[in-house]
Amino acid sequence: MEKSFLCKIFVLGLCALSLVEKAGACTGISFFAKDSSRVVARTIEWGGSNLNSQYVIVPRNYAQQSYTPEGVNGMTFTSRYGYVGFSVEQKEFVAEGLNEAGLSAGLFYFPGYGEYEAYKSEERDKSVADLQLVSWVLSSFSTVDEVIKAIEDVHVIAIDPRASTVHWRFIDTTGRQVVLEFVKGKPFFYENKLGVLTNSPGFEWQMTNLNNYVNLFPGTAPLKEWENLTLSSFGAGSGFLGLPGDVTPPSRFVRAAFYQITAPHAVTGKDAILQAFQILNNFDIPVGIEHAEGEAWVNLPSATQWTAATDITARKIYYRTAWNSTIRCFDLKKINFSQIDFRAVPMDIVKEQPIIEIAVE
């Protein structure tokens, strides 16, 4: 193997390692609109540097090969379905996406609690890197059932064995949503009927932890009167007093769950998309909070580098970024995946928030 190529793989491994060590802050939610639209949304955070995020458009019959610790010599796969995805650092590392069959897939960082199987060179033709699993799934499958069955026949590996794991969520047009986690080298799927996902600890623990907040309720706490004492709320929303407000994954999971389940039932898929973006405003992480004082990388407007939302039913995927809060959309029904060429384009050509001046005459 050429020295330059070895250096590239080493850099990629360090990238994967550093992302897991410092990011750890993705938040996902889900909605089912009155018109039967299925909507999922998520944030992706990284306060250490620019993720160089791109949108990728992948046509049918597009061939890819997975990275391994040895190079680009892992499993090969050719897209049966075209898809649109959002990648980080490398165009191959798709973190969120939707394919033309209506399958949505996304990865969420999962440090400290997962473990892949060890890479074996003799199994490289069936080995797929964790950061490329979303690309393989979107290329190949249309339903959650197909994904679950196919995972049995591949080896999910890390490019760099020092890097921590990720976990994934998959949703199809029926609304079925599952979470995939690897523990001691084995895959475990969990039905995610709530539709919320963050990071570590594992999904089952996060669901159990919700029971600690059984006392919370929407609205305002009622007046309390005792013999010589009357207590009243300072303002609306006191039923949620005690809802955790920090940015740790368990706290974000609880907050996302309660914001989601108490939100008004959206009428249309578009309504649900806009509702999702509004709710995820609450999960924007400002630069500085994830680092010790003076260590923040100051050239980022936010550690939440982008937010995405997907209308699975309408086959539309949306995004906005820390640099430009304008919501942009891809309508997969308008893309001819049999003729379009592969493309990878920066999410922001100009990294500057547009400001519209209102002329007064």
Side-chain angles (χ1 to χ4, degrees), residues 67 75 85 118 167 208 325 333 355:
Y67 286 91
M75 185 177 73
H167 58 179
T208 301
S325 60
K333 292 181 178 178
I355 298 175

Side-chain angles (χ1 to χ4, degrees), residues 35-177:
D35 68 354
S36 298
S37 296
R38 310 281 185 179
V39 168
V40 294
R42 57 91 53 84
T43 65
I44 191 161
E45 279 79 23
W46 169 237
S49 63
N50 185 351
L51 281 173
N52 299 310
S53 300
Q54 298 177 294
Y55 68 77
V56 297
I57 301 177
V58 181
R60 296 182 207 130
N61 300 312
Y62 182 76
Q64 299 188 59
Q65 187 166 21
S66 177
Y67 286 91
T68 75
E70 300 172 333
V72 187
N73 65 339
M75 185 177 73
T76 59
F77 53 96
T78 300
S79 53
R80 178 182 180 187
Y81 302 103
Y83 64 90
V84 174
F86 303 136
S87 67
V88 293
E89 292 297 347
Q90 293 277 128
K91 64 182 183 297
E92 297 90 352
F93 298 165
V94 174
E96 183 73 18
L98 173 71
N99 73 14
E100 59 181 317
L103 182 67
S104 171
L107 67 81
F108 291 64
Y109 289 102
F110 189 48
Y113 285 84
E115 181 183 355
Y116 307 132
E117 62 180 291
Y119 171 67
K120 298 177 182 177
S121 182
E122 64 270 21
E123 296 174 341
R124 61 181 177 271
D125 60 338
K126 291 188 176 181
S127 295
V128 58
D130 57 349
L131 298 180
Q132 291 175 269
L133 188 70
V134 169
S135 293
W136 172 60
V137 165
L138 294 176
S139 291
S140 308
F141 310 112
S142 62
T143 68
V144 166
D145 280 340
E146 290 176 356
V147 176
I148 293 173
K149 187 175 186 305
I151 289 293
E152 299 174 358
D153 299 323
V154 299
H155 305 284
V156 178
I157 60 166
I159 298 172
D160 188 314
R162 297 169 296 174
S164 187
T165 55
V166 298
H167 58 179
W168 299 262
R169 70 172 182 185
F170 306 111
I171 312 99
D172 62 26
T173 56
T174 68
R176 185 185 180 191
Q177 182 172 161

